[in-house]
Amino acid sequence: MADCLFCKIIAGEIPGKFAHQDDQLVAIADINPQAPLHLLIIPRRHIATLNDLTPGDDALVGAMQRTAAALAAQHGYSEHGYRTVFNTNRGAGQTVFHIHLHLLAGRGLGWPPG
Ligand code: 5GP
Ligand code: ZN
């Protein structure tokens, strides 16, 4: 999509610090990290919000979660713990309308979240 920040990062038009790339997903470092580890797992295909998913996307979303777990493991957080979060629409804090899974680790993560 022409005007989408994450589509532009995936296309290499805007720089990103890539932690993972495969045929369907990328992971980049968040530009404004909220924890010592803060990565965004992003599908290459533009999907605006979780509300736009179809049953055909089930494997893609599963791959996003499994990639987050693998990246958490790579950084040594599997046992201690980490958090994965999708924000959906403005009321939940979504600011970039191309779905992305936040992976946060490395500090105390309170519950309930803000
Ligand atoms: P949201 O608020 O939509 O759940 O998450 C969007 C995330 O994208 C935020 O955590 C924000 O810091 C991050 N972000 C915004 N602009 C950029 C950018 O240009 N590059 C990177 N790497 N992250 C960004
Ligand atoms: Zn996009």
Side-chain angles (χ1 to χ4, degrees):
M1 185 177 262
D3 221 23
C4 170
L5 175 66
F6 288 166
C7 282
K8 287 179 179 166
I9 290 175
I10 289 163
E13 293 164 17
I14 293 176
K17 192 174 164 205
F18 286 81
H20 172 84
Q21 297 192 62
D22 64 37
D23 58 342
Q24 57 182 352
L25 301 177
V26 305
I28 61 171
D30 197 290
I31 203 168
N32 182 23
Q34 300 301 309
L37 179 68
H38 188 174
L39 301 177
L40 304 172
I41 296 92
I42 310 172
R44 290 185 182 276
R45 181 161 55 88
H46 183 89
I47 302 168
T49 80
L50 290 195
N51 295 333
D52 301 299
L53 292 172
T54 69
D57 297 319
D58 288 359
L60 177 68
V61 176
M64 292 173 75
Q65 291 284 7
R66 290 207 332 109
T67 298
L71 288 164
Q74 271 177 37
H75 287 83
Y77 292 114
S78 291
E79 296 308 320
H80 180 75
Y82 55 90
R83 182 166 294 161
T84 55
V85 179
F86 283 105
N87 294 324
T88 299
N89 278 337
R90 295 195 192 280
Q94 186 174 7
T95 57
V96 179
F97 286 81
H98 177 142
I99 63 167
H100 48 282
L101 182 61
H102 294 262
L103 168 62
L104 298 147
R107 65 167 171 82
L109 294 165
W111 193 263

